[in-house]
Amino acid sequence: DVQTTAAIGNTLTNTGKLASATQNTSSVVSASVLLPNLLITKTASPTTVAPGGTVTYTITVTNNGNSATTSLQIYDLLPYSGAVLDNTKNFAFDGTFTPTFVYSGGAPTPGSVTRTLGNPPTLAGYTTNLNQNQVLWDFGADAYALPVNGTITITFRATVGSAMPVASYYNTVYDAFNSYAGPGTASV
C-alpha cells in the first residue's frame, strides 16, 4: 500500500528490487493520480435588494480535474441576522420558484441539458443557528456524477426577510463529493 500527497495529473513510480547473491531483479509500476478538482462560482442578481425583495442566485460547479465525482452535494448557507429563529431576519429559499440546473460536459447526455431536479433541494437550519437556512442539492441521490470538464449550473431564488438590517451580506457555498480516490470538499 503506497500513500502519497502527489498532485492531480502527476505520475507516481514505485520500484521494487530483489537482490541476492545469485539474482538481481527489479520491477517498476507507474500510476497516474486521478482526482476531481471542483471550481465553484456564485452570482446574485440583483446585487442590491430591499427587505421583502427577491434575489436570484446562480451557482456554477465545474470539474477541472481528471476524474469524475461519484456523488456530489452542493450546500448554500443563506444570509441571516441574529441567532434566534426569526423568519423576518433571514434570506429564505423561495419554494414557489422551481430550481433548475444546466448539466453539461458529458454523461448523461453530451452537450447541455436543462432540467428540473428529480429530488428537490433539502432545507434545514444550519448547525445550532436555526435562523440560517441551509439549502442542499444532492446530485448523488439524483444519480448524477460530475464528469471531467462537466459543469452543473443551479439557479434558484431567495426572499429577503422584511426586517433584515441594511448591510452587506455574504453567504457560503460548499460541496462534498466522493470519487474513486475518496471524499473531497471545496467552498466559495
Side-chain angles (χ1 to χ4, degrees):
D1 188 24
V2 177
Q3 297 182 2
T4 182
T5 58
I8 296 170
N10 284 2
T11 299
L12 304 176
T13 303
N14 185 14
T15 304
K17 293 184 178 184
L18 172 64
S20 70
T22 60
Q23 192 175 21
N24 196 358
T25 306
S26 67
S27 178
V28 177
V29 176
S30 297
S32 295
V33 178
L34 301 175
L35 291 172
N37 182 10
L38 303 186
L39 171 68
I40 303 172
T41 60
K42 182 176 182 178
T43 60
S45 178
T47 56
T48 302
V49 184
T54 300
V55 61
T56 300
Y57 288 112
T58 301
I59 301 168
T60 304
V61 182
T62 302
N63 184 357
N64 292 322
N66 58 9
S67 179
T69 64
T70 56
S71 69
L72 178 62
Q73 295 176 321
I74 306 296
Y75 298 85
D76 193 344
L77 307 181
L78 295 175
Y80 67 98
S81 177
V84 178
L85 181 58
D86 181 348
N87 290 330
T88 67
K89 292 186 177 179
N90 65 17
F91 282 47
F93 179 80
D94 182 351
T96 65
F97 178 79
T98 303
T100 59
F101 74 92
V102 175
Y103 185 93
S104 61
T109 304
S112 292
V113 176
T114 301
R115 65 186 285 275
T116 302
L117 287 171
N119 295 316
T122 303
L123 305 175
Y126 182 66
T127 63
T128 59
N129 186 344
L130 298 178
N131 205 33
Q132 183 173 30
N133 282 268
Q134 172 183 278
V135 185
L136 164 63
W137 288 270
D138 189 343
F139 292 96
D142 202 38
Y144 284 91
L146 188 57
V148 174
N149 298 319
T151 298
I152 292 176
T153 303
I154 302 166
T155 302
F156 71 101
R157 291 192 318 208
T159 302
V160 180
S162 61
M164 282 293 286
V166 175
S168 292
Y169 293 97
Y170 303 93
N171 60 315
T172 302
V173 174
Y174 66 96
D175 68 50
F177 63 86
N178 282 308
S179 70
Y180 294 110
T185 60
S187 66
V188 64

